[in-house]
Each structure stands twice: as C-alpha cells, then as structure tokens.
Amino acid sequence: MSAVTTPITAPTTTHDGATEHHYLNHSSGFLSWALTLDHKRIGMMYLAGILFAFFLGGVFALAIRIHLWNPNQDPDAAWLTNATYNRVFTLHGAIMVFLFIIPSIPAALGNFLLPIMLGTKDVAFPRLNLGSFYLWITGLIFFAYTLFSTQIDTGWTFYTPYSIEAKSAVEAATLGVFILGFSSIFTGLNFIVTINTMRPPGMSWFKMPLFLWALYATSIIQVLATPVLGITVLLLALERTFGIGIFDPSLNGDPVTFQHFFWFYSHPAVYIMILPAMGIISELMSVHSHKGIFGYRMIAYSSIAIALFGFLVWGHHMFTSGMADVTTIVFSALTFTVSIPSAIKVFNWLGTMYQGTVALNTPMIYALAFIFLFTIGGLTGLFLGALATDMHLHDTYFVVAHFHYVMMGGTLVAFLGGLFHWWPKMTGKMFNDPMGIVSAAIVFVGFNLTFLPQFVLGTRGMPRRYASYVPEFQSLHQLSTVGACILGFGLLVAGLVLLHSLFYGKKAPMNPWGGATLEWECSSPPPHDNFSHPPAVGDPYDFANVEYDGKTGGYYKKKK
Amino acid sequence: MGRCAFQDPISENMTEVAAHTDGHDHGHHDHPSWLAHHFDDAEQQFDSGKLGMWLFLVTEILFFSGMFCAYVLYRNRNPEVFEFCSAFLNEKLGAINTGVLLFSSLTMAWAVRASQLKQHKLLVGMLGATLGCAAIFLGVKSVEYTHKWSLGLLPGRMYVAQMENGYHSDVDYLTPLCIAPAVLTVLFALYYVYSLVIASKFHQRVAGPLLVAGLCFFGGIYLGQFIEGGEHHGDSHGAHADAGHGEHASHDEEHAKEAGSETPAPAEASAASSDTGVALVSTSSGPLHDVAVDPKEAAIPNAEVNNQGMAGLFFSIYYCMTGVHAVHIIGGMLVISWLIVKAAREEFHSKYYGPVDNVGLYWHLVDFIWIYLFPLLYLIT
Amino acid sequence: MADTHSHSHSDHGHADGEFSHPMPVWMLLAVFFALLGLTFLTVFQAQFDLGSLEIVFSLIIASIKAGLVIAFFMHLVWDKPLNAIAIFSSLIFVALFLGFTLMDAQQYNERLIMDPKNEILENSTPKARLIKASE
C-alpha cells in the first residue's frame, strides 16, 4: 500500500490474453515503486539492485582474470599496476560478498516468495522491509564512493593492521558494510517474525516449504552474527579516525582479535549465503522430479543445525594467524561437524530424484549443476578444515577455488536455478527453456574450467591475491581465464534469455512446473494482496493431486 | 475476493476454505486505523511487534558484545592498567547516573501500565519523566567526558595525560557540547509559549515534557559539575586552576581513597603479570615517572602503567562503550519524544499499546547495558 | 490462528481478545527499590578488597539487577516463551563469542611481549611489538 497509488479499480479477469489485476499493474508511476510497501515489489527492486551489483563484481572478476593471463613478472609491462590489481580484487570480493551474495537469495527471492509461500499478505513489517532496501541502496552508495575516490585495497576482510594504515577509503567501505549489515539484519528480523506470528491456519512448522525453513535458519544467523560485524567495522572506522588502538599493535592492541571479531560474523555469513541456496535446491529437486521430498524433517533440522554449528567454527580461517595451538585443534575438530548436516541434505536430494519423474528443464539443470559443484566445494572444505593440510593450503588458490565452488557454484547457480524456477511467477512470462538449458550448460562448463585449474594451482603453491606469478603456472592461469570468459558468456546468455522472455515470452500459467506449494496457487504474477483469504494449506510436497492441464500449459491441483 | 485463482479450475478451492471469512475482504473496511492491513487482529500485530523488538534487542546485545569482548580481553591481559585507570572515573557520578537510569526504567514501565489503562495524562507524565532522566544522564555524562578530556584522558593514540609535567588543557569542551541542547531547549521553550498562546492542550502536552527534558540536561550538567567540583574542593586549587598542578590535584583526590584502602592488590597483580611474561615498561628512566611525584601516588606501585598505550587502551574501551551507550540514549530520547506526541493524541489503549511497550523494552535494554557497564568500568579496585 | 495465538498468559484471567496485563504499581516500586538497593550494595562492596572475588561479586549483583529488569520491567515473566528463548540464546552466543576469543587470547598471551620501552625513549609514542617467543 504505497502512499502514492493509483489503484485500478476494475480488474478485468478473463481467460487467455486479456489483462488481469496483479501486483505489477496494481498501481503505476515511479513513486508507486519507490514508496511501495508490497514485499513483491521490494523483492523485484532488490533483484534489480543485486543483479547490478553482480554485474559490477563480475566486471572486476574478469579484470582480475584478464590481468593474470600473463605472469606479469615485470610490473611495468603488466596490464594493471600492482596497486590497481589490489583494488580490483578487493572491490570484486567486497561487492560480491556484501552487495550481491548475502542479499541475493533472501532479500530478492526470499522477499518475493516468503509471504506467498507462507500464505500471508505481506511480511510482518513492510515499512522496515522497504527501509532495509534503502539501507542497501545507501550501502551501495558508500561502495560507489570508494569506487570513485581512492579505492580500497585491503581485501574484503579488512584485516588489521594494514587496514588501519592503508591510505584508501577504508572508512567509507566499513561504513558501507555497517549499513549493509543492518539491511541484512532487518530482513532477517522481518522473516523470523513473519514466520513465527503470521502463519495462516493449518500452516504448521512442518507444513512449511523447505525454502522457508532455510530462510528461517538464515535469518537466525543474520540476527545473531551480523551485529558483531557491525561493531567490528565500527571499531575499525574509529581506529582509523581516533586511533583507539583496540586492534592496533602499535598501541598495544591485538590484531588477532580483529580476526576473531570479523570471522565470528563472516564464517556464519558463509551459511547466510549457502543456506537459502540449499532451500531453493530442496524446492527444485522435489518439484522437477514430481516426487515428494525425501527426508523432509531431516532437511529442515539440518538447516537449523548448519545455522547453529556455523557459529562454532570461525577459527578455521585463522589457523596460520598466530592462534593458540589448543584453539586451532578445537576449531579444526568442530569444523567437521558442519559437514554432517550438509551431507544429509545432499543425500536427501539424491534420494528425492530416485524413481522420480525428473523433468530436465532449465531450473532442474541448474539444480543438478549445484549438487555437482557444491559437493566439490564442500569436500574440498574438509581439506581446509583439517589443521595439517590447511597449513599448506592456507592463502593459496586452493582456498580461492574452494570458496568459489561453494559461493558461486553453490549460491549463484542455485540463485539462477531459483530465478528461472520462479521467473514465470514473478513476471508472468515463460522463458525459452532450451536456451535456458544452453545457458546452464555454458555456465557449468565455464565455471569448472575457471576453478578446477585453481585447485591445482593452489596445491602447487600459487598464493592468492598475487598480481604476478612464476611462468610455470601460466598454462593453468590461462585455462582459468578462458573459463572465466566462457562463464561470463554463459551468464550473459542466461540474462538474455530472461530479458527476451519479458518482451516475447508466452504468458505463464499459474503453475508451470507442477509445484504443490502455495505460491503456485496464485495467478502468475500474483495479485496485490497475495491471498484475500487464508489459503488451503496442505502438504507442500504432495504431488498426488497435481495434474497437467493441456489447455493452459500448466498444472492444477485436483480437488479431492 | 479470490481473484488470484480466477481463471483456473480450482478457484472454488480457494474460496471455500476461508475459515476467517470475516475481515479479509478488500483489506480495510473493518480494520481499525491502528491495525495494519496485513494483520488479522490486534493481538497478532502486538505479538509481531513485540517479537520483532526482542529480536532487535538480541542484535543490540550482540552488538555490545564486541566491546565487552575487547574489555574482557584487555582487562584479562593487563588487570593493573584497568585498576589504575578506573580510579580516574568518578564513581559518585557513575552511581548517580545508575540511579537516574533505574528511575527512568521505573517511569518507563509505569508508562506502559498507564498506556494499557488509558491513563493518558499519566502516560505523558511518565514518558516526560523518562525523557527528563535521559537528559540528566547525558548532562552528567557530558561533565564526565569533558573533565577527562581536559585532563588528557583520551582514547588510544590521543592519550596525553601525565606527560612531562602533567597535562591540563585549558580548552573549554563543555560549552560547545551545550550548544545543541541549549538551542533545543530554547526552541522547546518557544514552542511551549506558543502552545500556551494558542491554548492547545495537545501542544502543551507535547511541549511541556520536551522543555522539562531540555532543562533537565542543564540540571544534569550542574549536578555533575557540583559533584566533580566537590571532589576537588579540599585542595587549595581546583582542577581547572593551574595547568601544571590541576591535574595532580584531581588525581590526589581520586587516588587517595584507593591508595588508602588497598595497596596489596595491585602489587599482586603486577607480580602475576610478570609471571605470565608480560613485561611492562619500567618508568625509572622514562619521561613518565613524574607520575610518582606525589607521595600519595607513590603508594600506587603500578603508576608506571600510565604509559600512553596501556592507559589509552582502557580509555578507548571506556569511550567506546559509554559512547555507544550514549548514542543509544539519544536514539531512545528521539523515540520517546515520538511516543509523547502519540500519547498526547491519546492514541493508546489496551489493544494498541505496542509502541509504548516496545520502546519500553528498548529503554530497559539501555538500562540493562548500563547495569553492567557501571561496575565493570567504575568500580574496579 | 490456532498455534500462533495461544494465550500464554490466559492464567491472568483476561477476557478473550484482551492481551494486556498492567503491572501493579506496588510491584513496579518494589522492583525499583530493589534495584536501587543493589546499586548501593555494589558501590558499598567496591570499598572492600575482595581480591579476585571482587569482579565475581559485582557481576553477580549486576546480573541480579539485570534479571530484575528483564523479568519485571520487561515483563518477560508473563511473556511468550519464544521471547525468553530469543534473549537467552543471545546471551549464549555472547558467551560463545567471548569464551572462544578469550580462550585463544589467554593461550597466546604468553607469546606476546609488550615492550614499548625503546620507542618511548625515542619518540615518546609507545609501541608494542609482537614477538613470538617460540621463534
């Protein structure tokens, strides 16, 4: 209910082709979007914003890869100067982490879907929801400032003491992170309250779609961990402004403390990134296999378990930082516990596909790619969690490849899968499925070509964040660069497929994939208030009554 | 309404199951103005708001936990520094501020009760009292801060206290701090006069508490200065009298009580610290040993901890913790002022008092944090 | 609304739809004076040297005060259990954060040598150098 709305009073509800009343045409004008309190519009604005941030981060990523085509042993002959290279990888990391991955699934897809899947009209605090979007925009502005002034060159982790001495816009970047942190907190807070207090009759905890369980677990982390990031970057900004010395060894401060503070947030933040992705995969696996999810409760509990275990393992980022011996051993041991709930999920997804009617359309191809890539990413994490191997692999390309397999191969691919899956619902338009599959295939090939060589580089000793390397590594680096270009092309194709659908796409049926969750019981796109009456809540993974309707090209739920 | 399923075969399914058919049609027409359209009833709205506020408090606690972590870490590492530096904090002012905050918590809790019982006048009064207490707190805090700044007790790198011949800045920090509150108070006074002129009950009810709060800030300043000044009264000259000695004078006072009661504890601490391999700088040849000029201070065996890095770190933590707390007080004052406006409009009743309750929760959390800050910072012996 | 609207405080005998429960004034005042008394106690106990127990005592008193504020002023006693779970879980996570960080710092404390002596003599800005004793 925005302040400036021009409600279209007589929704023409006809059958094929005619206009129909939904959230996109509910009101028009710039202010009807800028001041909207509708979670769907806020979700769409987030979507546009994070895709912009993703594009920005992607450009920096390509710059890194192109620079590394040559060994750059002579810095004067290199494409980027060493200082520029530092800035480019810092901005790539910071933008991708804080502006793209963390808000990607929860704030864009989650905002759009959570109330609809839950069967409510909106999130609990619509104003706070809009506020957190504008906080995100403010954070973006701070980052844009660092981009156009003296860019930060500290790495996205802002490690002290370098970040205290660095002559770049660290203050602006840290304040940006502080603001983005609060944006993330408010989104999480909103989701927790919505799920707790606004479930309609019949929507018990174990009737909730698994995507909502994943978002709930994510929100717990957002609420509990993000404030610590807030105080950390605030203290860092104060450190630079007033020299308070808490993290500054030259004033008797302790820089290792900064790393503790930072990773107390940033390790759980890894689960902020991956948990919603896992939730998407749970939906995709079940819907596109046309078979009930295998092990619903185990997947639900494992989401919560990952969220809680995620708080116990931050020290594994600091094994070589001068941590105490006992602490390193404790953290190493605890790190392995997180692999258990992750493995439970992977096995349950595979169990879901078994004997299902697997439809190999675009979202499912992305989901299958996710399982492959996430498994590699997860298993290589065990190498890094083991104390002895981490001593060798720390700060090498092995780490880089590992977290790209998890964050990009995991979160981004799942995000794309989810975007294709819910695109007909969000926009009301069907995309070109064969071209979508092509995009998924290119992304998959490009991704592996980019990052598999980096595992090899890492084990051979190529340190991360270096602008130059010994010539022996050149062939692997070039493979990686070629892969990055293919990956970029694949993402471009995916974007074009979605853009094309907006203009030339067929009208989407209510339920194009045959899902049984509540969002498929709304028209595509959904009406302004989602549900005028509390919807009938059933088992979200019961496909017995879902039948194909040749007339609309979609599915419908047969009445019992 | 059921328009979400108009063109598909299951539309009946959507409409027939509506258990709560009442109150869901087209949003608003039976929703009272204070009930947001997406909530079913008052209790759902109240519960949502309250859970949201508790979760916000959770984030606040974790936000402060970073500073508590730094506190625990450095106190554990250098307990003698914390002992030494804590003596610079005026525990009388700390105790008074604790009392003021506790009283404001009482009035806030009472305000919640008043809002539930539709005691509108009492509600405005209680909120006004809370606002006034917050202002007193900030007034006292301003005196504490500026007093320390003039002694050079600054955070980290800026710490300059007790260099060569002692340090005292003649810069008047307090007056600039008072400018904004003074302007606000004048504006509130004008607003109050205006409300009297137009004889608007509503505006009087809003302007009155605001004006009182503005005056309370200066009351707090007076109180702080009275007590801070009283501390130095026994000396021949006050803290602000003499650049060279003023600062010693104040330290005399503050350390006298400490030195009298417990000399052995710091000695133990220093022994313990050298055991753990932390070698503090010896001041016997350094420029800092003039700390021990005064015989009374010589009784403090750990005067040497007053080198910049160590003591500065304590004051960094002190300023960060109390500063962030003060920012929360200011934020609380803003929302309480907003509540006063709503209360003056008599908006609250037993089904809609969520805003008062939630701001109350926030205010009690600010009190909660101070309850820990007071002994941890002021009462280290 | 079956499970979301359970009246956890229905034992207070409110009519249906009534969810406010004003606290009696005597209770507010009693809590306030208890808090005030505990403040005097904590200032009073700070006069005595209790050695390492001092911090324990003052923290116990502070926790009692905090408990009174949370239980009564914030009426958690009558509140939905979820809110209590939220606030206590936050304390658990704070303990986790502090515990691990402190455990680590205590261990490597021994490897830290803070020796700002030379720097003070040179430029009177103290510096601490981190020297690993093990090396």
Side-chain angles (χ1 to χ4, degrees):
Chain A
M1 296 310 290
S2 81
V4 183
T5 52
T6 44
I8 293 158
T9 37
T12 43
T13 52
T14 59
H15 296 278
D16 314 322
T19 43
E20 138 201 23
H21 194 169
H22 53 73
Y23 81 100
L24 290 169
N25 63 14
H26 173 75
S27 55
S28 57
F30 175 74
L31 283 183
S32 79
W33 280 84
L35 298 177
T36 183
L37 298 180
D38 182 1
H39 67 98
K40 297 183 286 298
R41 287 189 169 197
I42 294 171
M44 292 304 270
M45 292 197 293
Y46 259 122
L47 183 65
I50 60 156
L51 287 177
F52 171 71
F54 178 61
F55 174 76
L56 215 59
V59 169
F60 286 120
L62 282 178
I64 293 172
R65 282 319 319 168
I66 291 168
H67 173 80
L68 292 174
W69 181 262
N70 293 314
N72 304 315
Q73 298 257 294
D74 174 17
D76 298 326
W79 183 50
L80 301 173
T81 63
N82 287 348
T84 314
Y85 180 81
N86 287 345
R87 290 167 182 168
V88 168
F89 80 67
T90 301
L91 284 166
H92 165 69
I95 289 176
M96 283 296 198
V97 169
F98 294 116
L99 283 165
F100 172 64
I101 307 184
I102 286 181
S104 64
I105 299 175
L109 294 179
N111 240 329
F112 191 98
L113 291 165
L114 182 134
I116 307 183
M117 287 177 116
L118 201 62
T120 65
K121 289 178 183 170
D122 210 326
V123 291
F125 309 116
R127 278 191 195 84
L128 191 68
N129 201 13
L130 184 67
S132 70
F133 174 70
Y134 282 111
L135 281 178
W136 184 88
I137 293 281
T138 317
L140 179 73
I141 291 170
F142 272 91
F143 268 96
Y145 172 77
T146 66
L147 197 59
F148 291 112
S149 67
T150 50
Q151 298 98 327
I152 37 166
D153 57 355
T154 60
W156 75 277
T157 50
F158 305 114
Y159 269 14
T160 55
Y162 179 64
S163 59
I164 299 174
E165 297 156 7
K167 300 212 168 10
S168 51
V170 178
E171 290 92 343
T174 50
L175 286 178
V177 170
F178 183 84
I179 291 164
L180 290 171
F182 275 88
S183 162
S184 172
I185 288 173
F186 290 142
T187 304
L189 191 153
N190 227 332
F191 286 0
I192 292 182
V193 175
T194 309
I195 291 178
N196 267 308
T197 61
M198 297 188 60
R199 279 172 289 127
M203 180 62 87
S204 60
W205 282 95
F206 291 102
K207 289 245 173 91
M208 284 199 323
L210 286 165
F211 184 49
L212 298 190
W213 272 97
L215 284 178
Y216 193 78
T218 310
S219 304
I220 291 175
I221 307 176
Q222 284 176 313
V223 165
L224 283 173
T226 319
V228 177
L229 176 75
I231 190 67
T232 309
V233 294
L234 188 68
L235 288 177
L236 180 58
L238 290 174
E239 190 82 71
R240 284 177 64 89
T241 329
F242 299 110
I244 56 173
I246 289 177
F247 300 134
D248 188 350
S250 68
L251 294 170
N252 286 319
D254 182 352
V256 180
T257 307
F258 176 84
Q259 300 187 16
H260 276 298
F261 278 44
F262 183 81
W263 289 112
F264 182 82
Y265 163 74
S266 292
H267 192 74
V270 172
Y271 301 108
I272 297 180
M273 303 172 195
I274 196 67
L275 269 173
M278 292 168 158
I280 287 182
I281 298 304
S282 302
E283 297 297 321
L284 265 51
M285 280 293 153
S286 173
V287 172
H288 295 283
S289 304
H290 298 283
K291 178 165 168 278
I293 191 86
F294 180 81
Y296 174 91
R297 284 195 183 225
M298 287 312 284
I299 296 183
Y301 288 139
S302 65
S303 291
I304 304 293
I306 289 176
L308 299 181
F309 286 163
F311 279 93
L312 302 172
V313 301
W314 79 84
H316 67 220
H317 295 267
M318 303 165 54
F319 285 159
T320 61
S321 301
M323 254 195 342
D325 300 338
V326 180
T327 327
T328 53
I329 293 166
V330 171
F331 274 126
S332 178
L334 286 172
T335 298
F336 290 97
T337 58
V338 187
S339 61
I340 298 167
S342 311
I344 287 175
K345 282 179 189 283
V346 172
F347 287 123
N348 280 333
W349 294 326
L350 299 179
T352 305
M353 280 195 291
Y354 179 65
Q355 289 195 338
T357 317
V358 180
L360 287 176
N361 41 31
T362 309
M364 189 61 175
I365 300 289
Y366 273 108
L368 292 174
F370 169 93
I371 292 189
F372 186 84
L373 300 176
F374 174 74
T375 307
I376 292 178
L379 288 175
T380 50
L382 295 178
F383 293 60
L384 297 169
L387 195 48
T389 45
D390 183 71
M391 290 293 162
H392 174 62
L393 295 171
H394 187 85
D395 264 353
T396 67
Y397 265 55
F398 191 89
V399 178
V400 177
H402 157 70
F403 71 69
H404 278 89
Y405 262 88
V406 180
M407 288 186 189
M408 193 173 182
T411 310
L412 175 75
V413 167
F415 171 69
L416 287 174
L419 192 60
F420 275 103
H421 182 69
W422 283 295
W423 187 260
K425 180 59 60 187
M426 294 163 90
T427 62
K429 294 290 166 67
M430 290 304 287
F431 53 86
N432 184 329
D433 198 48
M435 282 312 287
I437 292 172
V438 168
S439 81
I442 301 174
V443 166
F444 183 75
V445 170
F447 181 86
N448 282 303
L449 198 55
T450 312
F451 293 106
L452 268 180
Q454 296 190 0
F455 280 124
V456 183
L457 280 171
T459 49
R460 293 190 183 171
M462 171 77 208
R464 67 191 282 201
R465 293 178 169 174
Y466 274 33
S468 60
Y469 53 86
V470 290
E472 290 93 300
F473 291 147
Q474 189 171 16
S475 54
L476 286 170
H477 266 297
Q478 289 186 339
L479 265 184
S480 185
T481 303
V482 170
C485 294
I486 295 174
L487 177 57
F489 178 69
L491 292 169
L492 187 70
V493 172
L496 289 178
V497 169
L498 293 178
L499 266 185
H500 176 268
S501 76
L502 279 185
F503 299 104
Y504 308 105
K506 258 191 349 190
K507 190 194 171 326
M510 184 183 72
N511 188 356
W513 314 118
T517 40
L518 288 180
E519 79 271 28
W520 305 114
E521 297 189 13
C522 270
S523 56
S524 303
H528 176 67
D529 268 341
N530 306 345
F531 302 99
S532 45
H533 304 283
V537 178
D539 184 340
Y541 300 106
D542 178 13
F543 297 96
N545 303 319
V546 179
E547 297 234 334
Y548 189 69
D549 176 18
K551 224 168 32 186
T552 58
Y555 293 76
Y556 67 97
K557 241 184 199 172
K558 232 177 23 177
K559 272 205 303 175
K560 277 177 197 156
Chain B
M1 187 146 66
R3 65 168 116 88
C4 45
F6 267 147
Q7 82 279 45
D8 42 63
I10 56 146
S11 56
E12 319 90 297
N13 206 5
M14 296 289 298
T15 42
E16 74 192 7
V17 287
H20 286 229
T21 40
D22 53 327
H24 294 287
D25 248 15
H26 298 279
H28 306 274
H29 58 82
D30 63 342
H31 266 49
S33 62
W34 42 265
L35 184 60
H37 80 284
H38 57 289
F39 291 115
D40 293 322
D41 55 41
E43 187 173 8
Q44 190 186 35
Q45 171 166 286
F46 176 78
D47 286 343
S48 299
K50 193 153 188 174
L51 179 62
M53 183 43 83
W54 276 105
L55 287 173
F56 181 69
L57 299 189
V58 166
T59 71
E60 288 284 12
I61 287 177
L62 279 144
F63 188 76
F64 273 94
S65 77
M67 287 178 293
F68 277 101
C69 189
Y71 174 91
V72 174
L73 214 58
Y74 292 112
R75 179 165 178 180
N76 185 53
R77 196 169 280 166
N78 306 104
E80 69 287 341
V81 175
F82 276 63
E83 253 163 55
F84 175 80
C85 296
S86 171
F88 290 94
L89 306 185
N90 190 328
E91 68 180 57
K92 265 188 206 163
L93 288 180
I96 285 174
N97 259 353
T98 309
V100 167
L101 266 197
L102 288 176
F103 183 72
S104 77
S105 260
L106 169 72
T107 53
M108 194 70 225
W110 206 325
V112 174
R113 178 190 150 85
S115 70
Q116 290 165 334
L117 299 177
K118 294 183 86 169
Q119 298 163 331
H120 299 299
K121 267 189 198 157
L122 186 67
L123 174 58
V124 174
M126 283 298 165
L127 291 172
T130 313
L131 197 64
C133 284
I136 294 176
F137 181 91
L138 287 182
V140 172
K141 205 90 213 116
S142 310
V143 172
E144 279 189 82
Y145 272 13
T146 50
H147 182 66
K148 278 173 199 61
W149 296 344
S150 61
L151 294 180
L153 298 166
L154 291 161
R157 193 175 53 201
M158 301 190 291
Y159 183 86
V160 283
Q162 294 193 337
M163 297 292 283
E164 302 300 323
N165 295 312
Y167 177 88
H168 179 260
S169 160
D170 280 328
V171 181
D172 179 11
Y173 296 102
L174 194 55
T175 315
L177 260 188
C178 290
I179 291 174
V183 170
L184 281 176
T185 310
V186 170
L187 287 177
F188 294 151
L190 290 175
Y191 179 34
Y192 188 66
V193 172
Y194 169 75
S195 71
L196 287 179
V197 170
I198 63 168
S200 155
K201 266 257 168 65
F202 165 73
H203 286 294
Q204 282 169 24
R205 279 192 192 173
V206 176
L210 290 178
L211 177 60
V212 170
L215 295 173
C216 277
F217 178 81
F218 295 98
I221 295 240
Y222 178 77
L223 183 69
Q225 274 180 326
F226 179 73
I227 289 169
E228 196 79 75
E231 292 269 297
H232 311 301
H233 211 64
D235 278 296
S236 52
H237 39 245
H240 298 264
D242 182 296
H245 301 279
E247 185 243 356
H248 283 186
S250 71
H251 292 172
D252 283 352
E253 275 301 319
E254 299 193 353
H255 295 168
K257 51 189 176 182
E258 187 199 80
S261 58
E262 71 252 45
T263 32
E268 279 166 21
S270 80
S273 71
S274 56
D275 280 348
T276 55
V278 179
L280 286 162
V281 60
S282 158
T283 52
S284 53
S285 60
L288 301 171
H289 70 280
D290 64 307
V291 179
V293 170
D294 191 287
K296 269 192 237 164
E297 290 201 337
I300 309 165
N302 276 298
E304 73 259 27
V305 300
N306 186 35
N307 76 63
Q308 286 181 329
M310 297 290 187
L313 207 51
F314 172 86
F315 283 100
S316 295
I317 292 171
Y318 166 77
Y319 284 115
C320 284
M321 287 180 127
T322 55
V324 173
H325 181 262
V327 168
H328 279 81
I329 296 259
I330 294 169
M333 290 172 81
L334 292 176
V335 281
I336 291 171
S337 309
W338 168 72
L339 279 188
I340 288 178
V341 175
K342 278 173 91 79
R345 280 198 214 118
E346 311 196 342
E347 283 187 19
F348 298 113
H349 51 81
S350 68
K351 287 196 173 179
Y352 179 66
Y353 64 97
V356 187
D357 203 26
N358 291 334
V359 171
L361 289 179
Y362 169 83
W363 192 253
H364 296 309
L365 184 92
V366 174
D367 189 21
F368 173 97
I369 302 279
W370 184 259
I371 284 174
Y372 281 99
L373 288 185
F374 172 57
L376 286 180
L377 291 172
Y378 288 79
L379 299 179
I380 309 173
T381 50
Chain C
M1 310 299 117
D3 52 348
T4 58
H5 282 206
S6 58
H7 290 250
S8 67
H9 39 70
S10 53
D11 51 323
H12 279 251
H14 290 299
D16 187 43
E18 192 64 32
F19 51 88
S20 70
H21 43 83
M23 269 180 80
V25 173
W26 66 263
M27 197 186 270
L28 290 172
L29 289 173
V31 172
F32 171 67
F33 284 112
L35 287 169
L36 218 52
L38 285 167
T39 307
F40 280 119
L41 184 64
T42 194
V43 174
F44 180 67
Q45 67 96 22
Q47 316 288 318
F48 301 101
D49 177 35
L50 301 169
S52 57
L53 280 179
E54 178 243 330
I55 177 111
V56 180
F57 265 101
S58 57
L59 279 183
I60 287 175
I61 296 175
S63 298
I64 295 171
K65 285 165 73 180
L68 283 175
V69 168
I70 285 197
F72 294 99
F73 281 171
M74 296 164 95
H75 18 260
L76 199 63
V77 174
W78 301 278
D79 221 335
K80 294 222 175 352
L82 186 67
N83 298 341
I85 292 170
I87 205 79
F88 286 117
S89 69
S90 82
L91 297 178
I92 289 170
F93 280 90
V94 169
L96 187 78
F97 177 38
L98 263 63
F100 266 120
T101 310
L102 195 65
M103 176 179 99
D104 181 41
Q106 245 169 349
Q107 296 268 333
Y108 70 73
N109 241 355
E110 293 166 18
R111 298 194 222 151
L112 288 179
I113 295 176
M114 299 206 173
D115 185 11
K117 194 188 305 178
N118 297 326
E119 279 87 348
I120 286 183
L121 290 176
E122 278 162 22
N123 53 16
S124 82
T125 40
K127 305 246 173 183
R129 278 174 299 157
L130 295 164
I131 299 167
K132 280 190 183 156
S134 54
E135 283 165 7

